[in-house]
Structures are given as C-alpha cells and as structure tokens.
C-alpha cells in the first residue's frame, strides 16, 4: 500500500462524524465522573462552558440510572463568540483542560491518544456497514473484529501510541488482517519458562509449531554454530521485533543470546486487547499473548517476565477453586487457562530500573487455552463487549440477540445475569475474589441468542484476592492484596454495575427494548435469589450490602487523565482509585424484605 492510500479513511466527512461521536462520549462520561457539570437550559437541554467560558457546548441529553448521561450526538452545538464551530474532541480537551486536571506533561500525550482514537473510528467508518443483526449471527472472530467501540467508559480508548498507520492496518483488531508471529530463540540463562503441571515445554512446542518448523528453527541455530539445547523458543509480536527488540535489545542479539528464527507457520487475528492473538489456522490451538510496548488506555502493554513466572500456577489454582465450588459449577462458569508462560530478563535494564519499568516488560509471552474445543454442539461464542455494540444506524446487537432468542427481554437479561453476575457475586462473598470482568475479558457462550454460560479470561494479571492473609499456595500469593473492607464491593458496583451494566441498561432503555426500572429490578432479583441460595454467607452479604442506598463513584477517566502511562499499580489496585462522591444504587428500591 502506498503512503497516500494508507490514509484513505481520513476524509473530512469521516473525521467530522468521528469527532461528533467522541465529543458525545466525552461530554457523557466526563459529566458522569463529575469532571464537568452541565447546566440545564430547558427540559432535556444542557450547556457546558470551557474553562475560560468563551466556548459553549449545547446538547440534548437524558439522565438515566447511575447518573448515566445519554447525550444525543446530533444535537451537539459548539459555539464561540456567537459563531458555530464543528465539534472537535481535541479542542474539547484543550478547552476543558483545567476541569479535566490535565497537566502540561500529560496533555499532549492525551491529545495524541484522542487523535488516534478518532483515526480508528474514521477507519471503522470506512469499512462496509454491517447491521447489528448480521453481526449477532456472525462467527466468533467476525464479532471480535467487528467491534466499533472500545471500553465504554474511557474516552481515549484506542490510543495505541507507537503504531504507524501501516502498522495500524496490519495489527489493529478492526483491520482483521491475518498476522504471523515471529519467533526468537532465547538463551536459557536469561529465560524462564513455566507451565501447568500437566504440560511441558517440548509437548507445547510440538503442538504449537509442528515438527517441520521446529526442525527449521533448530537448523537456524546449528547453522550459527549454536547448541539448540541452550535455547527456548519465544513468540514475538512483529511490531515488537522491528521497533523494540531489534534496537533496544540489540546487544542481546549481537551476543547471540537472542536469535531471530523467522515466522511461525500459523496465521492469527489480533483480539480487542491488541496484544493477544487467536489462531485462525487452527482455532483449537492456544491464544498467544505477547509483549507489546505500545501505550494504550493507561498502560504500556508490555508483559513482565517476572509476572509471567507464576501465571500457570495462578490459573491452575483458580480452575481448581471453580471446579470445587458447587455454586460456581452450577453457573457453568469456566476460565480459559493461561497454560504456559515465558519471559526473558535483560540484566542491564533490570539493574537500572524498578519492577514497574516498561523496560522489564519487552519480551515475554503466554499461551492461553482456546474456548473452541470446549464448545458444545449448537453453541457459538461472542465477546461480551458485543452486548454494547451499536451498528452504523444505532441498532443494538444485544437487542438483536433478544429478538433471536424469542424470550421476553427481562427473561433474556436474567439468563445472562445468572451466567455472568452470579459467579462474580459468589467469588466476592465466598472467596474475597475479584475479577476484571469488563466486556473484552468475558466470552459469552450463546445458544439460539441466549447466554447459556460465560468464560472468563485474562486471569493472572487481573484477578485479586482481597485479603492479604488469605491461605494461598506459595506460587499464587502474588494475587493477594490489601483492599479496605468498604472498597471490596466496588468490584461489583464499579466494575460490573457502573462500567458495564449501566451502558447495557441505557442501550436497551433508549431503544425501547427494556425499561431501565425493569432492567435493574431484574438485576436485583438475580442478586436476591443468589443471597437466598447461600444463607451461610448472610453476614458477609450484610457487611458488603448489594442493596445499599448508594455507593462510591470510582472514576476511570480520572485515573487516565492523571497518569496515562501507568494508571494503577496492579500489586496495590486500591491505592490509585479516584473517587467523586456517590451514585444512587438502582438496586436499593428492590431490597429483599425481612
């Protein structure tokens, strides 16, 4: 592709549409997080002024449960000195930089992330339109790559700083371009491989690469006069090789501690998380998650070699916990385990940096099970993020699934909640365990449009046992964290209610599919039925009350606006939280009596 064709999607029309959509989201989510306070100007009409009051944004919006702002994108008017200006998301952030608390250091990087997010939207707008109903009926990976919105709360959610436009077209999930991973031979003196107890390195490599590729890789090493027994094979994102490892790790390559072996045999598709790949040559094989030194949504997306070491043990522990818990088993919950991990340690950078440094996260990988082999006949898979997907005409994929199911919307919702919410409630109340259960981290197993069960993924980096004294196997203790008692339930209130169900409820409510009161009554009934099922946990449920009148508003954009390089310390997730008052709990009116 030539240089001009690479930016064909950046047209005035697409850019204007992308800006209007992102300004809509920014006004909605910044108002939700109380960074801005829209002034009412009439029934359903609102006004936001810039820091210097010189610019006005006028728009129509409905305020729904959980202080959700449903802003009408077409209604947005931006005005300076009486003259109308086109909505511009970058300008909005500059005009509101004081309200948003953007420092001189953070602002330009944040603006770059906003611009990249806009460019991604323009690219998606240039693709052929696919209706919500068509996408709902599509295959697992067609849905995965068909998503048009990233995280529903984060405004700058597709930064991917580091990708050039040609790399965007090669590696972005929405580009849906098949990718072959590169493989390196890494010297065993610097490399740690760990795996589940029922797996070993040789078995994994034979299954993933095949005998012919293994022989070719071995031949490359012997051709250089190196002993293959001294090396382990590591899959690498092509971007990481060309942009980081071949340069930043040049000394390791020169010393033959790292040897580039070439591409593997299989083709993969990038998932929404950008650094995880699904094997399309053989969907039964593992996902591969790679280190990627690209800045995206508050983190450099590297992988820590030190963190990788405990990954298989943590996954095996969690799989055992689920298997041994009758409540979790009854929900059908499963995880796709991270079965093996490998990490390379660059001793010079390790000597020069602390454990959080991106320089320690440049070369590692893990292998995660595919959900495909465990799929029962007549079922299909879809990312849970798809429940929030709207097509070009504003039609909802969740509504399309409800139509397909033939169920009443509240009955469809209850089936979904039984599969998704109940395991999260029980993990909290029975095990002090919290997941990171946002849309991209959950896979739905669908039968005739109905959610039958769910699969959780991204385990070792995301789960936390919120008790620093929990009795865990030594190799698993990394996931323990001291979380204040009053914050534990935020793993439900924030991560599930505010960051996902708020958006699903608004989508169904505004499209006339399911009224928000009926939505939250259904959530409450699910929670109450769970409580009745576990009377032995009644004390814990009183202490962490799902039906409390209100709960603390924990804000995600505030984290990114404060530090878009490292939003949260994963070893102390509670320390960085940003609070802004409280939200009225939509479950409170439906609290069980007695």
């Amino acid at each position: 592709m030539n240089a001009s064709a690479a930016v064909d999607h950046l047209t005035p029309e697409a850019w204007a549409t992308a800006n209007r959509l992102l300004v809509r989201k920014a006004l909605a989510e910044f108002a939700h997080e109380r960074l801005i306070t829209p002034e009412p100007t009439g029934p359903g009409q609102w006004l936001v002024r810039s820091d210097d009051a010189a610019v006005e944004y006028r728009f129509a919006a409905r305020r729904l449960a959980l202080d959700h702002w449903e802003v009408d994108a077409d209604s947005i008017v931006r005005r300076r000195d009486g003259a109308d200006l086109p909505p511009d998301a970058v300008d909005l952030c500059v005009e509101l930089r004081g309200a948003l608390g953007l420092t001189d250091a953070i602002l330009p990087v944040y603006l770059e992330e906003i611009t990249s997010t806009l460019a991604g939207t323009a690219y998606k707008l240039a693709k052929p339109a696919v209706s919500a109903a068509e996408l709902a009926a599509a295959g697992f990976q067609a849905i995965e790559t068909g998503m048009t919105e990233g995280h529903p709360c984060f405004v700058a959610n597709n930064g991917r700083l580091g990708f050039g436009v040609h790399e965007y077209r090669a590696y972005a999930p929405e580009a849906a371009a098949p990718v072959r991973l590169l493989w390196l031979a890494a010297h065993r003196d610097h490399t740690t491989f760990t795996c589940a107890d029922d797996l070993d390195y040789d078995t994994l490599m034979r299954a993933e690469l095949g005998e012919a590729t293994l022989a070719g890789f071995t031949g490359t090493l012997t051709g250089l006069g190196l002993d293959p027994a001294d090396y382990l094979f590591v899959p690498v994102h092509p971007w990481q090789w060309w942009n980081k490892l071949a340069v930043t790790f040049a000394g390791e390559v020169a010393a033959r501690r790292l040897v580039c072996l070439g591409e593997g045999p299989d083709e993969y598709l990038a998932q929404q998380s950008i650094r995880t790949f699904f094997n399309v040559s053989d969907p039964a094989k593992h996902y591969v998650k790679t280190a990627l030194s690209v800045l995206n949504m508050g983190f450099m997306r590297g992988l820590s070699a030190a963190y990788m070491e405990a990954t298989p043990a943590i996954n095996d522990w969690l799989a055992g916990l689920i298997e041994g818990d009758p409540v979790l088993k009854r929900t059908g919950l499963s995880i796709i385990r991270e079965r093996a991990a490998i990490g390379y340690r660059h001793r010079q950078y390790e000597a020069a940096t602390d454990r959080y440094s991106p320089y320690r996260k440049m070369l590692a990988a893990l292998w995660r099970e595919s959900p495909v082999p465990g799929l029962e006949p007549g079922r299909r898979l879809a990312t849970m993020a798809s429940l929030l997907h709207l097509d070009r005409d504003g039609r909802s994929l969740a509504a399309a699934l409800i139509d397909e199911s033939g169920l009443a919307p509240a009955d469809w919702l209850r089936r979904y909640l039984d599969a998704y919410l109940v395991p999260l409630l029980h993990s909290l109340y029975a095990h002090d365990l919290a997941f990171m259960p946002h849309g991209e981290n959950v896979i739905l197993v669908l039968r005739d449009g109905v959610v039958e069960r769910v699969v959780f993924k991204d385990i070792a980096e995301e789960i936390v046992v919120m008790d620093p004294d929990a009795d865990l196997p030594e190799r698993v203790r990394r996931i323990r964290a001291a979380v204040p008692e009053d914050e534990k339930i935020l793993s439900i209130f924030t991560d599930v209610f505010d960051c996902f169900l708020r958006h699903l409820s608004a989508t169904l409510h505004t499209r006339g599919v399911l009224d928000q009161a009926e939505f939250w009554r259904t959530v409450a009934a699910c929670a109450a039925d769970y409580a009745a099922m576990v009377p032995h946990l009644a004390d814990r449920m009183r202490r962490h009350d799902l039906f409390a009148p209100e709960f603390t508003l924990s804000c995600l954009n505030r984290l990114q606006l404060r530090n878009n390089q490292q939003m949260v310390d994963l070893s102390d997730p509670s320390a960085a939280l940003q609070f802004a008052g409280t939200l009225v709990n939509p479950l409170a009116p439906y609290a069980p009596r007695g």
Side-chain angles (χ1 to χ4, degrees):
M1 178 176 288
N2 66 38
S4 174
V7 292
D8 278 349
H9 58 289
L10 300 179
T11 65
E13 298 77 20
W15 198 249
T17 300
N19 269 285
R20 187 169 285 277
L21 292 172
L22 195 56
V23 167
R24 181 213 67 76
K25 182 174 185 178
L27 291 169
E29 291 304 308
F30 292 158
H32 175 72
E33 295 194 11
R34 296 157 190 181
L35 288 155
I36 57 176
T37 306
E39 307 167 28
T41 60
Q45 302 295 314
W46 305 89
L47 166 67
V48 168
R49 303 179 199 270
S50 62
D51 291 340
D52 62 5
V55 180
E56 294 181 347
Y57 288 83
R58 294 179 180 270
F59 55 92
R62 285 188 276 179
R63 292 178 76 173
L64 302 177
L66 289 174
D67 202 21
H68 179 84
W69 288 76
E70 189 69 21
V71 175
D72 177 0
D74 291 335
S75 73
I76 299 168
V77 174
R78 176 180 172 226
R79 208 166 272 149
R80 179 192 287 275
D81 299 328
D84 286 355
L85 297 170
D88 185 295
V90 172
D91 282 345
L92 176 81
C93 295
V94 175
E95 291 158 358
L96 295 174
R97 67 174 296 183
L100 301 179
L102 283 161
T103 64
D104 289 348
I106 297 293
L107 178 61
V109 181
Y110 191 74
L111 297 183
E112 190 178 358
E113 292 180 278
I114 290 286
T115 302
S116 180
T117 299
L118 290 167
T121 301
Y123 177 86
K124 294 165 195 169
L125 289 168
K127 294 174 70 176
V130 178
S131 74
E134 288 172 320
L135 194 60
F140 182 32
Q141 290 305 296
I143 295 174
E144 183 79 25
T145 59
M147 296 296 93
T148 53
E149 179 59 85
H151 195 289
C153 300
F154 285 106
V155 175
N157 66 12
N158 277 319
R160 299 162 182 173
L161 300 191
F163 278 177
V165 68
H166 58 305
E167 293 159 333
Y168 172 87
R169 286 176 171 271
Y171 305 130
E174 58 269 22
V179 176
R180 288 184 189 269
L181 299 179
L182 283 170
W183 286 76
L184 306 185
H187 201 281
R188 287 177 182 267
D189 286 352
H190 293 251
T191 309
T192 302
F193 173 85
T194 52
C195 62
D197 290 340
D198 60 346
L199 188 63
D200 62 71
Y201 173 79
D202 289 336
T203 301
L204 176 69
M205 288 301 132
R206 277 197 300 274
E208 290 293 301
L209 288 171
E211 298 294 349
T213 300
L214 282 173
F217 287 175
T218 300
T220 298
L221 291 173
T222 55
L224 292 169
L226 303 171
D227 184 352
D230 292 339
Y231 290 85
L232 296 170
F233 297 153
V234 186
V236 171
H237 194 297
W239 185 96
Q240 192 76 351
W241 169 253
W242 290 106
N243 293 276
K244 288 294 176 185
L245 301 176
V247 180
T248 309
F249 281 38
E252 307 301 286
V253 176
R256 299 282 194 255
R257 287 189 287 269
L258 291 176
V259 179
C260 186
L261 302 170
E263 292 181 343
D266 291 346
E267 290 190 330
Y268 293 81
L269 281 178
Q271 304 296 279
Q272 292 168 75
S273 59
I274 74 169
R275 58 179 167 160
T276 302
F277 290 95
F278 179 86
N279 193 319
V280 288
S281 296
D282 185 349
K285 287 188 182 179
H286 292 84
Y287 288 91
V288 181
K289 185 174 183 178
T290 56
L292 184 64
S293 300
V294 164
L295 184 68
N296 194 53
M297 214 169 69
F299 289 100
M300 191 71 76
R301 297 289 161 172
L303 278 182
S304 163
Y307 247 56
M308 287 302 97
E309 214 166 316
T311 289
I314 292 168
N315 279 261
D316 283 352
W317 170 82
L318 181 60
L321 182 146
I322 293 169
E323 183 66 26
D325 187 307
V327 175
L328 294 178
K329 280 207 76 171
R330 202 176 310 137
T331 67
L333 173 70
S334 63
I335 62 169
I336 43 178
R337 290 172 297 167
E338 291 145 355
R339 299 272 288 150
I342 194 164
Y344 183 88
R345 307 181 84 140
H346 190 300
R347 290 184 184 146
Q348 291 166 318
Y349 289 127
E350 290 206 354
T353 60
D354 66 23
R355 65 192 174 111
Y356 305 110
S357 170
Y359 286 92
R360 294 192 181 201
K361 301 176 182 179
M362 288 190 182
L363 183 47
L366 63 81
W367 289 266
R368 177 188 293 146
E369 291 172 317
S370 166
V372 172
L375 199 60
E376 303 89 344
R379 278 71 167 183
R380 65 182 196 272
L381 300 168
T383 172
M384 193 176 83
S386 66
L387 296 186
L388 305 184
H389 176 80
L390 303 176
D391 68 16
R392 205 80 54 86
D393 296 317
R395 292 171 300 206
S396 158
L397 188 145
L401 289 175
I402 293 169
D403 284 345
E404 181 192 347
S405 74
L407 296 175
D411 293 338
W412 183 94
L413 175 65
R414 178 58 192 264
R415 300 271 196 99
Y416 161 63
L417 294 169
D418 286 343
Y420 170 64
L421 179 60
V422 171
L424 295 170
L425 296 178
H426 190 65
S427 295
L428 169 65
Y429 289 115
H431 304 291
D432 262 327
L433 171 67
F435 293 84
M436 187 61 72
H438 56 68
E440 189 274 319
N441 269 357
V442 181
I443 297 171
L444 307 176
V445 178
L446 298 164
R447 185 178 193 181
D448 300 325
V450 180
V451 180
E452 195 171 71
R453 61 184 179 89
V454 303
V455 181
F456 288 164
K457 65 184 181 74
D458 215 356
I459 300 303
E461 281 198 293
E462 301 279 26
I463 65 169
V464 59
V465 172
M466 298 179 288
D467 176 1
D469 302 315
D471 183 18
L472 299 179
E474 186 175 352
R475 291 190 297 171
V476 178
R477 288 175 190 162
R478 186 192 80 206
I479 66 173
R480 298 187 306 192
V483 175
E485 280 293 309
D486 61 343
E487 290 180 15
K488 289 181 178 180
I489 198 168
L490 292 183
S491 66
I492 302 297
F493 283 150
T494 299
D495 298 341
V496 180
F497 287 12
D498 192 37
C499 292
F500 196 84
L501 295 184
R502 166 169 68 93
H503 298 276
L504 181 58
S505 174
T507 294
L508 298 178
H509 177 85
T510 55
R511 282 151 189 83
V513 177
L514 183 63
D515 179 80
Q516 63 173 348
E518 184 69 13
F519 183 100
W520 291 108
R521 187 184 297 116
T522 305
V523 177
C526 176
D529 288 349
Y530 164 71
M533 190 169 58
V534 287
H536 61 289
L537 297 175
D539 285 346
R540 286 185 61 83
M541 297 196 76
R542 274 191 292 272
R543 194 157 69 245
H544 307 295
D545 184 6
L546 272 174
F547 298 92
E550 58 185 26
F551 60 85
T552 303
L553 170 58
S554 182
C555 302
L556 300 190
N557 284 286
R558 285 176 180 263
L559 292 174
Q560 189 179 13
L561 291 163
R562 185 186 61 181
N563 183 350
N564 51 0
Q565 313 280 323
Q566 174 78 32
M567 284 196 310
V568 177
D569 172 4
L570 293 174
S571 69
D572 189 7
S574 169
L577 296 180
Q578 293 276 295
F579 300 127
T582 60
L583 292 172
V584 174
N585 183 1
L587 266 57
Y590 313 110
R593 302 284 175 226

